[in-house]
Every structure is written in C-alpha cells, then in structure tokens.
Amino acid sequence: MPQTFEYTFDTPVYKGKTSFSTGLYINGQWVDGSKGTTIDVINPTNGQLVTKISEGTKEDVDLAVVAAQKTFDTVWGLNTPGTRRAELLNNLGNLMQAHFDELAALEALDNGKTFGWAQDVDVTDSIATIKYYAGWADKIQGKTIETTAGKLVYTRHEPIGVVGQIIPWNFPLMMMAWKIGPALATGNCIILKPSEFTPLTAIRMSHLIQEAGFPPGVVNIIPGYGTTVGAAISEHPHIDKVAFTGSTLVGRKIMEAAARTNLKNVTLELGGKSPNIIFDDADIDQAVRFTSHGIFWNHGQACCAGSRIYVHAKVYDEFLTKFTDKAKSLKVGDPFGLDTYQGPQVSQIQFDRIMSYIDSGRQQGATLHLGGERHGSEGYFIKPTIFTDTKPDMRIVQEEIFGPVGVVIRFEDDDDVINQANDTMYGLAAAVFSKNIDRALQVAHKLKAGTAWVNCINQLHPQVPFGGFKQSGIGRELGEYALENYTAVKAVHVNFSLSVK
Ligand code: NDP
C-alpha cells in the first residue's frame, strides 16, 4: 500500500493541510512500484525528509503503457470528441483553481521557490495553460487540398497515441501543464515522469486528474529516476513520442535512445545561456529591475535566465552600481517568509554544482563582485552572485550554471555585442534594452534565439511558443505550435472519377 502524505502548513503566508496517496498513478489507481521501494523527498530549506514516495521502475512503465494503449484504443483518442476533452480539461483547471494555495505551498515546500512566486507564476500559469488548451480541444482541424478534378484530398490531425513526458525540477507544475495540456487536448494518453527531486505537485495532480473525470489510463504518473523510468520511457517500443525538458546532456541521451529503438518523435526543451543586452540609450532603472528578475528569479534555476549581461560602456558604471544595490536588496530565506524573494536551490547536488562554477570563475581570473557564498548554515541557499572582468572562454560565460550567478560584461559596439551574444552553443532566449525601437528590433532579429524580449525579460504566456535554436532544443511548447508535437497528419485521398491504366 502506498503511503499517504499528510502535512500541515503553519507559516506566516499560508496555513492549510494536505493529504494524498504518494503511489504511482497507473490506470487510474495509486499503487506501489514493482520493487516496493521508495524515494526520499527532501525539503531544500533544511535538508530534512518531507516524505517518502513510491519509486517507479521499468516494469511499471511497461504496465502503464499497456493500460494507456488500451484506453487510447477504446475510450480515448478518436473515441472521445474534442468537446468532451475540452470539458475535462476545464474541469481540471477549475479543480486546480480550487486547490490553488495548496498547490503553491507544495511547490514551495518541495522546490524551495517562494510561496508568493509559486502562486503568481507557477500555479497561475499552469491553470491558464490547461484552460488555454481546453479551448483548442474542439478545434483540431485538417485541411482540404485541391489536387486534380475527380479527387478529394483532406488531412486529419490524429493523436499520436501513447506519449512519454519527462519533466524537470525547476518548474514542476508548470512543466507538467505545458506538456499535458496540448497532449490531452489532441487526444493522447500520457506516461509522465516528474523529477524525483520535486514529485509532489505531479502526484497531487494525479488526484485532481481523476476527480476531473479523465478515464483511467489517460494520464499515468510514474515518479522515479532518470536512469530507470526516464530511460524506459525514451527507449520504449510502444511509446511513439517523447517530450523532455532538462539538460542538453540528457536531451542528447533521449534522442539517442529514440534513434536506437523505434525512432519515436522527440521534442526537447533544453538549457540556455541567454544574453541580456543593455544599450546606452536604455531606461537604466527599468533594465536593472528586469535584469535582476532575469537572473535571480527562481534562484537562477530557469532555462531562459538572462545570465550573460552585456552593458554598454557608457552606462556600465551606473548600471553595475544600481544592479548591485538591487541584488543586495533581495531577501534570501524561508520560501514561506513574508518578504522572501529567493529561497534555497533545489538540492545538495545543485548547490554543489553552482558553488563549483563560482570556484571556477574565481580560478579562471574573473572578479567576484558580489555574493559567491552560502547563505545561512542549513539548507541549500546561495547569495545572489555577480561576476565582472570575465573573458569569453571562461566556463561561467559559456556554460549554464542554473543558479543565482550573473556575469556582467562591458561592450562598446553593436555588431560586436551581437557576435558575443551569439557565441554560444545555446539559443533559447535573449533580451535587449533600448529606448530606440529600431535599434532594439534590429538587434532582436539578429540574435539566434527562440525568444527575444525587448525591454522586458522572462515573459511567458500560454498563447506564445517557447523553445530553442541550436542546442537549446527541438520543437516548440505552448501556443498553437505545441499541438503539432502531439498530432500525426494523415492525408486521405478520395477518388470520384479517376481511373488508372
Ligand atoms: P537532468 O536533465 O538530468 O534532469 C531532467 C529530467 O530528466 C529529470 O526528470 C531526470 O531524472 C531525467 N533524466 C535523467 N537522466 C535521464 C535519462 N538517461 N533518460 C531519461 N530521463 C533522464 O537535469 P539535472 O537535474 O541533472 O540538472 C542538470 C542541469 O540541467 C542543470 O544544472 C541545468 O543546467 C539543466 N537543467 C535544465 C532545465 C531546463 O529547464 N532546461 C531543467 C533542469 C535542469 P532524475 O532527476 O532522476 O535524474
């Protein structure tokens, strides 16, 4: 029998209770994993055990795929009209709204992000995404195509079938919503693996998914390790599509697994090292506020974090002074504290990884301008950190740190900064600050990135596609574009009066 997680939140910002089974969710039931083992869920604020959850295995993925395929062939897929899928997605969105604070509190407990940010961004955006895709569910349409007299040709956008989804720990609920929204709107069945560092909201969602009325087997949630459950999903011969968000390293492994097995369709949303360019004609106070948000929000654990901050020489000193003051003003501490901006990093591993990047910056000769050390004596807190005097080939300039660490780089020439900004294997996002809209747009168009923000940063909307150029990914999530990830186009040729020799 899977354990029931019971927790009472008694914090300055939220008081409430939660209670739910922590089993794997397979075919509409909460069950133990096939080996009967569990995974420890750790609170990053103090390193203490929060609860244990059932650990999934390859055998559990196999069971879930059989159940999902049966559901797809009988009561889901093309057997359920879009209007019904829309109704179910709307039910789910409404239930998430009814459990709004509970979901935000679970995310803050598990991931370490602040309760306020979890409310304002993670839960709000997740509900908006589910409802946005509810709107699409009865609008999945093909085309009729003129070819030759005597023939009718039309296309159908059919669901792919059983799809695998592997999500990371930095935005657990949001990444789940970005993935299940378009997959369910188009009629697919899902095998989803949350990160074992942050499984709680996905497990809680399994209960809301059942309550919303989705038939058993439509959504299956199997927490487990990447090397077991993640690998089983990406290698599975009867999973025809896999969508992944995480590191470029693991994205490569998933593509290899897909190539080696059944050539499943792969979409990847991977890392970034996004440039943020501040020109001499920018509104500096506005640029400082967005730059701080760009690198320190979510503790820098955002794939689109504006981590390379290029500042025009004419405003460099003013910008750096104001940016430093802003970074110093950000309160680091308890995610449930009244005015906390930044909580702990997600795990000991991530804490160590970030600290090793900070060491490498020092060793390679950059100036540690601010921070660079642990905050407090327990948990995984790192102070907002700024490096200056970097060189383009330093690791802290080239590699994704995924922590509250920004490098501030002086530039003088527009063409030169565009070259520097594009000198990376990544291409997820970029930002430009200038009051001269011609200059800003010209630069935005020259940056090799899937998203370009002008006079803002980290703006995401369910309606707007998101994804990467170069090694930041393949395919687009969100918006109408994401529907393509979950449909296969069939062309149907109907003959009226053609004959063949
Ligand atoms: P990973 O890319 O390793 O993890 C992301 C997800 O993939 C997790 O669910 C993980 O499971 C799973 N996974 C791991 N190995 C495999 C595999 N062989 N097959 C299938 N799935 C697998 O990220 P990390 O947590 O290790 O973080 C490392 C770095 O990745 C970060 O520092 C950051 O730079 C980047 N990252 C980028 C993200 C983004 O949004 N683009 C999100 C998270 C990380 P498990 O947790 O068990 O390993």
Side-chain angles (χ1 to χ4, degrees):
M1 259 304 260
Q3 294 191 16
T4 298
F5 173 52
E6 291 188 344
Y7 197 87
T8 302
F9 294 92
D10 184 11
T11 76
V13 289
Y14 176 60
K15 297 192 192 313
K17 288 186 177 178
T18 189
S19 171
F20 54 91
S21 167
T22 57
L24 316 177
Y25 185 60
I26 299 178
N27 204 20
Q29 314 241 313
W30 290 275
V31 295
D32 286 321
S34 69
K35 293 207 173 94
T37 45
T38 56
I39 294 176
D40 290 351
V41 179
I42 302 296
N43 180 348
T45 301
N46 55 22
Q48 308 280 310
L49 182 73
V50 175
T51 187
K52 290 174 183 287
I53 56 155
S54 301
E55 178 191 354
T57 63
K58 178 181 181 307
E59 290 68 38
D60 298 312
V61 172
D62 290 341
L63 284 174
V65 171
V66 171
Q69 190 66 54
K70 188 166 172 219
T71 298
F72 182 80
D73 292 339
T74 53
V75 294
W76 195 245
L78 296 171
N79 305 296
T80 301
T83 44
R84 177 66 183 146
R85 298 197 301 271
E87 220 170 79
L88 293 170
L89 278 162
N90 274 319
N91 289 350
L92 179 60
N94 291 339
L95 282 164
M96 291 166 74
Q97 190 68 49
H99 293 270
F100 189 95
D101 283 347
E102 181 194 355
L103 289 168
L106 283 170
E107 206 72 315
L109 176 71
D110 204 4
N111 166 279
K113 63 181 70 203
T114 67
F115 177 69
W117 280 119
Q119 284 179 309
D120 293 352
V121 178
D122 299 67
V123 184
T124 300
D125 176 90
S126 299
I127 294 170
T129 301
I130 293 296
K131 293 205 165 186
Y132 170 78
Y133 283 108
W136 271 113
D138 60 357
K139 299 169 194 70
I140 309 298
Q141 295 165 351
K143 296 178 177 176
T144 59
I145 301 172
E146 283 304 318
T147 54
T148 180
K151 221 176 115 182
L152 164 70
V153 179
Y154 61 91
T155 56
R156 288 161 58 82
H157 295 196
E158 298 184 358
I160 290 178
V162 180
V163 302
Q165 304 185 324
I166 302 172
I167 58 172
W169 42 258
N170 54 339
F171 293 96
L173 183 66
M174 242 166 87
M175 292 305 101
M176 179 173 184
W178 286 21
K179 291 202 170 27
I180 67 171
L184 293 174
T186 46
N188 296 277
C189 288
I190 296 169
I191 315 292
L192 180 137
K193 182 192 108 57
S195 165
E196 86 275 2
F197 293 113
T198 54
L200 294 183
T201 42
I203 300 174
R204 185 70 188 96
M205 282 286 284
S206 66
H207 297 260
L208 303 184
I209 285 165
Q210 191 189 62
E211 198 178 334
F214 285 94
V218 172
V219 181
N220 302 273
I221 296 177
I222 309 190
Y225 294 100
T227 46
T228 53
V229 174
I233 290 173
S234 41
E235 288 168 1
H236 205 288
H238 303 305
I239 292 180
D240 289 327
K241 192 244 155 25
V242 64
F244 169 76
T245 298
S247 62
T248 298
L249 188 77
V250 174
R252 210 181 291 279
K253 286 188 190 167
I254 286 172
M255 228 176 150
E256 280 168 12
R260 215 176 41 242
T261 53
N262 62 342
L263 281 178
K264 55 176 67 62
N265 168 317
V266 176
T267 44
L268 304 172
E269 203 268 271
L270 307 176
K273 190 74 185 172
S274 299
N276 171 15
I277 303 173
I278 292 116
F279 285 108
D280 48 332
D281 53 8
D283 173 337
I284 297 298
D285 292 333
Q286 181 197 47
V288 164
R289 284 194 300 274
F290 275 110
T291 299
S292 168
H293 182 66
I295 183 60
F296 298 129
W297 171 60
N298 212 46
H299 328 156
Q301 296 170 158
C303 48
C304 53
S307 50
R308 289 184 294 144
I309 303 155
Y310 293 95
V311 186
H312 196 283
K314 283 189 191 156
V315 292
Y316 181 90
D317 290 339
E318 180 193 354
F319 176 88
L320 186 60
T321 304
K322 289 183 169 172
F323 179 47
T324 308
D325 289 346
K326 177 74 183 167
K328 280 183 186 161
S329 76
L330 302 176
K331 182 160 176 225
V332 181
D334 180 4
F336 291 96
L338 274 176
D339 51 358
T340 307
Y341 181 85
Q342 181 183 313
Q345 308 307 132
V346 73
S347 64
Q348 182 72 53
I349 296 174
Q350 195 59 19
F351 176 91
D352 293 342
R353 192 180 278 146
I354 296 162
M355 292 309 283
S356 83
Y357 272 111
I358 291 172
D359 286 346
S360 93
R362 278 203 201 94
Q363 280 160 18
Q364 291 192 305
T367 301
L368 180 59
H369 176 78
L370 183 75
E373 56 188 5
R374 165 192 279 280
H375 166 90
S377 55
E378 61 173 11
Y380 313 131
F381 296 88
I382 297 178
K383 290 183 181 170
T385 298
I386 301 172
F387 275 103
T388 56
D389 305 318
T390 56
K391 299 230 160 47
D393 58 353
M394 287 179 177
R395 288 185 60 209
I396 56 170
V397 178
Q398 286 297 329
E399 297 178 22
E400 182 174 50
I401 300 175
F402 228 61
V405 183
V407 294
V408 182
I409 302 164
R410 187 193 301 261
F411 76 91
E412 292 185 10
D413 176 73
D414 287 24
D415 288 337
D416 173 51
V417 78
I418 292 165
N419 286 337
Q420 286 197 59
N422 287 335
D423 178 23
T424 165
M425 70 174 199
Y426 294 115
L428 192 60
V432 181
F433 287 85
S434 167
K435 282 192 271 191
N436 177 343
I437 198 69
D438 291 350
R439 185 186 198 183
L441 290 184
Q442 274 178 24
V443 174
H445 290 193
K446 286 182 182 167
L447 292 170
K448 294 188 170 47
T451 294
W453 288 297
V454 176
N455 293 326
C456 58
I457 209 162
N458 282 353
Q459 303 296 299
L460 301 164
H461 303 280
Q463 304 81 357
V464 182
F466 183 77
F469 284 20
K470 299 197 273 185
Q471 293 184 43
S472 284
I474 297 175
R476 292 292 174 272
E477 298 200 277
L478 298 181
E480 188 177 354
Y481 294 84
L483 301 171
E484 293 168 16
N485 299 336
Y486 293 100
T487 47
V489 177
K490 179 183 283 174
V492 182
H493 297 242
V494 185
N495 176 24
F496 294 123
S497 57
L498 290 178
S499 63
V500 71
K501 284 184 192 154

